[in-house]
Amino acid sequence: MMVLGAVLTIAIPNFLDNTGSNLAALFGNFAILMFVLIVFGQLAINVFNLYGAFMSSIMTFEPFLKFRVTPKVRRGFLLCITFLATTLCIVGQGNFLEFFMNFIFFMSYFLIPWTSINLVDYYILRRGEYSVKDIFDLNGKYGKVNWIASFAFVASILAEIPFINASF
């Protein structure tokens, strides 16, 4: 799809001004059908995006708030996520690339230390030996919180602050 986008951007002048219309126009009499396919494709992608955001949010908040996920809770979460995502899209409409890069950088400031800690724990400290059963048992050999790993995570994020390179 990226190659197709690159080819169309080069082949059609001002293709990026309105990609949906320009792509549909390539199909002549079938342009309406192409518009319908584009809309359904966008709906399908956005449903998966909302589902992923919902699952991530539920998994983040549920252990702390101890609520039951009912259809009413699902609707509430999805409405909040939709409102937040729509607001971010409207605010970032003029400079999407800058917002997107800031988001990627922001996530990497947390994911890189987390990944490093997991790799050191798995390969060096535990030498690849994990008890999957104990990971899900609060009273298992891993316990509830690994305070050393938590401290290392927070310390590594704090150490990154002087090196943050983002517009925010």
Side-chain angles (χ1 to χ4, degrees):
M1 292 309 293
M2 290 181 186
V3 171
L4 176 63
V7 168
L8 291 173
T9 301
I10 293 169
I12 299 173
N14 301 319
F15 179 77
L16 294 178
D17 291 345
N18 193 343
T19 54
S21 295
N22 289 332
L23 181 62
L26 294 174
F27 291 85
N29 293 335
F30 297 101
I32 297 294
L33 177 63
M34 193 61 190
F35 271 121
V36 170
L37 292 174
I38 290 170
V39 168
F40 280 130
Q42 289 299 311
L43 284 173
I45 289 168
N46 284 317
V47 165
F48 282 120
N49 289 339
L50 280 173
Y51 177 73
F54 166 74
M55 291 302 289
S56 298
S57 301
I58 287 295
M59 290 181 68
T60 301
F61 296 122
E62 197 277 330
F64 301 106
L65 301 177
K66 300 290 185 203
F67 57 85
R68 203 166 147 256
V69 181
T70 62
K72 186 176 180 180
V73 170
R74 275 192 202 99
R75 279 192 297 276
F77 264 86
L78 287 174
L79 283 173
C80 290
I81 292 166
T82 302
F83 176 76
L84 180 65
T86 303
T87 303
L88 287 173
C89 287
I90 291 169
V91 169
Q93 185 177 8
N95 51 353
F96 170 77
L97 190 58
E98 180 183 345
F99 277 129
F100 183 70
M101 292 306 296
N102 280 332
F103 176 70
I104 297 297
F105 288 146
F106 183 73
M107 282 184 16
S108 71
Y109 295 130
F110 294 94
L111 290 176
I112 291 170
W114 178 79
T115 304
S116 301
I117 290 167
N118 279 321
L119 290 172
V120 167
D121 183 54
Y122 185 78
Y123 287 108
I124 296 173
L125 299 177
R126 301 190 194 277
R127 292 180 172 67
E129 298 289 328
Y130 270 122
S131 170
V132 176
K133 187 182 100 177
D134 283 335
I135 290 174
F136 296 102
D137 184 5
L138 292 177
N139 298 316
K141 69 179 179 179
Y142 304 117
K144 292 179 183 177
V145 177
N146 184 334
W147 291 106
I148 295 171
S150 298
F151 175 77
F153 181 64
V154 171
S156 61
I157 291 170
L158 292 174
E160 287 177 308
I161 291 175
F163 306 101
I164 291 177
N165 183 19
S167 64
F168 63 84

